[in-house]
């Protein structure tokens, strides 16, 4: 999967989780805002962690040193 496709998957999961939090935890305007903030923050943090790991594998800092026999 490419970077853009997985980013869209994370966006869809974030939207779905936001809707679930809005429907399941309907306890008032301030609680709804708090739950929405938590869901969005969690989604962005998970995406950012995935993006850093994905991009770090494209250009690693430590290059393997091959011996002459390989």
């Amino acid at each position: 999967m490419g970077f853009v496709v997985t980013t869209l998957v994370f966006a869809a999961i974030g939207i779905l989780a936001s809707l679930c939090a809005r429907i399941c935890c309907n306890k008032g305007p301030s609680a709804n805002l708090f739950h929405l903030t938590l869901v969005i923050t969690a989604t962005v943090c998970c995406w950012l962690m995935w993006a850093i790991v994905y991009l770090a594998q494209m250009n690693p800092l430590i290059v393997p040193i091959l011996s002459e026999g390989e």
Side-chain angles (χ1 to χ4, degrees):
M1 292 176 96
F3 189 80
V4 176
V5 174
T6 309
T7 300
L8 293 175
V9 169
F10 271 102
I13 290 171
I15 291 169
L16 184 65
S18 297
L19 290 174
C20 288
R22 176 91 174 159
I23 292 169
C24 297
C25 303
N26 194 5
K27 296 182 179 180
S30 62
N32 286 342
L33 181 61
F34 180 67
H35 292 136
L36 185 65
T37 303
L38 286 177
V39 167
I40 291 173
T41 302
T43 305
V44 169
C45 288
C46 287
W47 173 82
L48 190 60
M49 184 64 194
W50 172 83
I52 289 170
V53 170
Y54 182 82
L55 293 175
Q57 292 178 14
M58 295 179 86
N59 189 14
L61 294 175
I62 301 170
V63 179
I65 300 172
L66 300 175
S67 64
E68 292 184 25
E70 294 181 20

